[in-house]
Amino acid sequence: MKIPVVAIVGPTAVGKTKLSVKIAKRFNGEIISGDSMQVYKGLDIGTAKVTKDEMQGIPHYMIDIKNPEESFSVAEFKDKVQGYIEYIHNKGALPIIVGGTGLYIQSTLYQFNFADEGRDPAFVQKIETEIDQNGIDEVYQRLVAVDPEQAQKIHPNNRRRVIRALEVYEKTGLTMSELHAKQRRESPYNPIIIGLTMEREELYRRINNRVDQMVEDGLVEEVKYFYDKGLKHAQSMRGIGYKELIPYFEGDISMEYAIEQLKQNSRRYAKRQFTYFRNKLDVHWYPVSVPTIEHIFSIILRDLEGMLKEVPK
């Protein structure tokens, strides 16, 4: 029988952490972080890492499992989280994944085929040569013919994605669109995905305020510590909240400009998160605002109780 898994998704600063703890307390759950940056030890402020007080005694996993100089892949995330799902379920508890990294959550909940698997270098080289000799338009029109849906999503000049879409069709006999639809349908679990949304102006205001609070809490000092350790090229320092401050340390921009860049990048990321979840996952969406959030959370708890009862035993 498939394990029931609750996932809470949505843009940054929308209230996912608070909701996850409420669900865990109500339904005997344990929480798995679905954030690609919270795995790093010491990167606390810039990742808005859940605090001990916020955990309220609920066990949390996938936090502080990597040193800042280490790399971390979506494939490794999937393997570890699927292990934790089984571990939590075997304890008689409900696994709850919380986070904003869409690809990581999708890869865990569905049979996701990673782009770096099953490559055909000979095919890629053949198409690359064709493009170099004749231009990309002919190759792009070939994609339009076999997978018009995917072709609409790819700019004709994005040769890497055009080639990859044709390669998938060549190797599997399925178009990228068919493969994505198949992946969305098939899950080794019974996933229930709860999504939080917020009116854009209010969300952006919350993001800006959160960044100001991070700075007040010592974000600059946190990033400087790892910069001084020679980690400016590490994967961990490429995340939003960290990469924006490096040009400031190197004297290229002012502190004010770095903070404004951080706010802007955070707002853009929130928009991308929502777009990804809306397009890639089957989500039960709930609009929240500061005045209504507790009321909406109570509705979610009620709805989730019904959804969990419908999961095959």
Side-chain angles (χ1 to χ4, degrees), residues 57-72:
I58 301 296
H60 280 64
Y61 305 90
M62 293 299 289
I63 294 174
D64 294 340
I65 63 168
K66 285 280 184 179
N67 293 319
E69 64 273 14
E70 294 180 284
S71 62
F72 189 62

Side-chain angles (χ1 to χ4, degrees), residues 15 20 35-36 45 75 78-79 87 139 153 170 191 255:
S20 69
D35 188 288
S36 60
I45 300 171
K78 175 182 176 178
D79 289 343
Y87 172 73
V139 172
K153 300 175 184 176
E170 176 78 11
M255 165 74 79

Side-chain angles (χ1 to χ4, degrees), residues 23-304:
I23 290 174
K25 293 175 86 169
R26 174 77 171 269
F27 298 104
N28 183 33
E30 298 189 353
I31 294 171
I32 303 167
S33 170
D35 188 288
S36 60
M37 291 293 293
Q38 294 191 3
V39 298
Y40 289 110
K41 299 173 185 174
L43 277 70
D44 301 332
I45 300 171
T47 64
K49 194 175 290 178
V50 60
T51 65
K52 290 292 182 187
D53 287 344
E54 288 172 331
M55 289 180 185
Q56 296 187 38
I58 301 296
H60 280 64
Y61 305 90
M62 293 299 289
I63 294 174
D64 294 340
I65 63 168
K66 285 280 184 179
N67 293 319
E69 64 273 14
E70 294 180 284
S71 62
F72 189 62
S73 71
V74 61
E76 185 178 357
F77 176 89
K78 175 182 176 178
D79 289 343
K80 286 182 179 297
V81 171
Q82 289 187 337
Y84 282 126
I85 288 172
E86 192 164 335
Y87 172 73
I88 293 167
H89 176 72
N90 289 340
K91 291 171 66 178
L94 175 68
I96 303 167
I97 303 176
V98 184
T101 309
L103 176 62
Y104 282 56
I105 293 173
Q106 183 190 17
S107 71
T108 300
L109 294 180
Y110 295 90
Q111 299 295 358
F112 196 88
N113 294 319
F114 297 105
D116 59 353
E117 294 182 358
R119 300 311 305 258
D120 184 347
F123 179 86
V124 172
Q125 185 57 54
K126 174 173 168 284
I127 303 297
E128 288 273 12
T129 301
E130 284 184 37
I131 294 172
D132 290 340
Q133 290 176 348
N134 306 316
I136 197 169
D137 188 60
E138 186 179 318
V139 172
Y140 181 76
Q141 290 306 319
R142 203 181 309 165
L143 176 61
V144 171
V146 300
D147 190 358
E149 183 181 344
Q150 188 66 18
Q152 279 191 323
K153 300 175 184 176
I154 301 174
H155 192 280
N157 291 335
N158 191 334
R159 62 195 286 167
R160 183 184 62 82
R161 289 188 65 197
V162 170
I163 292 171
R164 181 55 180 157
L166 286 170
E167 182 190 6
V168 166
Y169 182 68
E170 176 78 11
K171 284 185 66 67
T172 68
L174 296 173
T175 67
M176 191 78 87
S177 300
E178 289 170 335
L179 194 62
H180 285 167
K182 189 166 181 278
Q183 288 166 352
R184 283 198 294 272
R185 285 196 304 269
E186 295 178 2
S187 174
Y189 309 108
N190 279 309
I192 300 171
I193 308 176
I194 305 295
L196 300 181
T197 67
M198 184 175 283
E199 191 274 323
R200 184 174 296 183
E201 190 173 315
E202 182 179 1
L203 178 64
Y204 286 0
R205 185 166 57 247
R206 283 171 65 89
I207 289 171
N208 291 341
N209 290 341
R210 173 184 273 194
V211 171
D212 289 335
Q213 187 63 54
M214 286 177 172
V215 173
E216 194 172 312
D217 291 343
L219 175 64
V220 177
E221 292 78 11
E222 177 176 283
V223 183
K224 185 68 159 59
Y225 173 78
F226 293 107
Y227 175 81
D228 288 345
K229 287 174 72 76
L231 296 178
K232 78 170 186 175
H233 296 299
Q235 181 180 335
S236 60
M237 292 286 275
R238 294 203 294 266
I240 295 172
Y242 296 85
K243 62 183 180 181
E244 292 83 4
L245 288 166
I246 291 174
Y248 163 67
F249 298 142
E250 297 183 339
D252 296 330
I253 60 175
S254 68
M255 165 74 79
E256 291 74 21
Y257 185 76
I259 300 305
E260 189 49 50
Q261 286 292 105
L262 171 49
K263 290 178 179 178
Q264 185 179 81
N265 288 343
S266 298
R267 295 191 299 265
R268 287 174 174 167
Y269 179 58
K271 185 178 179 181
R272 291 198 306 273
Q273 284 175 301
F274 177 68
T275 300
Y276 190 99
F277 293 127
R278 185 185 60 200
N279 292 339
K280 301 287 189 181
L281 298 172
D282 183 16
V283 180
H284 303 275
W285 290 106
Y286 294 86
V288 297
S289 64
V290 172
T292 66
I293 196 163
E294 291 299 332
H295 175 63
I296 298 298
F297 282 179
S298 67
I299 292 173
I300 292 171
L301 291 172
R302 182 200 66 197
D303 291 353
L304 186 55

